[in-house]
Amino acid sequence: MRWDLFKRAPGEESKMKVADVMTSGIETVDIGASASDAAKVMKLFHVGIVPVMVGERVAGVVTDRDLAVRILADAAGARWTPVVQAMSERYFSVPVDGELDEAIQLMSREGVSRLIVEGRNGRPVGVISVDDVSTKGSPEQALDLCRAIGTRRRDRGAKGAARMRTQH
């Protein structure tokens, strides 16, 4: 496949919407769920992110990495650990009718590989991931996004390693 087939003319904007590439039919867990409940949802539906809900509102998200780092690494029992202890309150979302380019810019800027897609009512309706961009967007968009996320994560990792060295 030739990359130049996907390049846009100067000044031409992407016409793709978030809805064109997102994975829809998102599963959620309630704020009172356990980390184990969230892990079961991930396993059953083959997903790596689950929104944590308080009624109709997203309180945060729990990712496969959150479970590994916050629960398993501390040898806590996932069955008895509340999901709220594993979730990240800081998450990023985009509207279902938003532009794909804007979603990609947000992912690149924040160094995240997944965004919650919200419907007009603010409820989660899907997820857009690097995987979605790579399979449904252009190869150029996917490559640029992977490079940007990798750079942001390396920068965060270097800062974290420097903090650890100064603490010892």
Side-chain angles (χ1 to χ4, degrees):
M1 186 176 325
R2 289 190 28 217
W3 290 69
D4 59 337
L5 295 176
F6 293 94
K7 291 185 178 177
R8 294 186 294 269
E12 182 184 338
E13 292 189 26
S14 167
K15 302 297 183 221
M16 291 189 84
K17 298 286 187 185
V18 167
D20 296 330
V21 299
M22 73 179 203
T23 301
S24 58
I26 191 167
E27 296 297 323
T28 64
V29 294
D30 185 73
I31 192 85
S34 70
S36 179
D37 294 333
K40 288 175 186 172
V41 168
M42 289 179 192
K43 180 179 180 182
L44 183 63
F45 294 98
H46 306 284
V47 295
I49 187 170
V50 177
V52 179
M53 306 295 292
V54 173
E56 298 288 310
R57 185 181 64 79
V58 177
V61 296
V62 63
T63 66
D64 45 8
R65 186 174 192 285
D66 291 334
L67 292 174
V69 172
R70 296 184 182 149
I71 303 302
L72 297 177
D74 292 335
R79 181 179 292 162
W80 299 281
T81 303
V83 72
V84 72
Q85 290 184 6
M87 78 176 199
S88 302
E89 291 181 31
R90 185 173 184 254
Y91 68 94
F92 299 94
S93 63
V94 292
V96 69
D97 57 354
E99 294 285 335
L100 176 60
D101 282 345
E102 292 174 11
I104 291 171
Q105 287 173 9
L106 177 61
M107 294 169 85
S108 297
R109 185 175 61 249
E110 298 300 333
V112 296
S113 57
R114 301 173 186 119
L115 300 172
I116 300 297
V117 180
E118 294 180 344
R120 295 191 201 295
N121 61 0
R123 280 201 44 84
V125 296
V127 171
I128 186 167
S129 67
V130 171
D131 202 34
D132 294 323
V133 173
S134 69
T135 57
K136 300 171 191 166
S138 76
E140 185 178 50
Q141 287 173 314
L143 182 60
D144 290 346
L145 178 57
C146 288
R147 284 182 179 151
I149 290 172
T151 299
R152 294 278 300 165
R153 287 186 177 166
R154 275 193 306 279
D155 291 347
R156 283 195 306 238
K159 289 176 187 172
R163 274 195 305 272
M164 288 178 64
R165 282 193 299 271
T166 60
Q167 291 174 354
H168 292 288

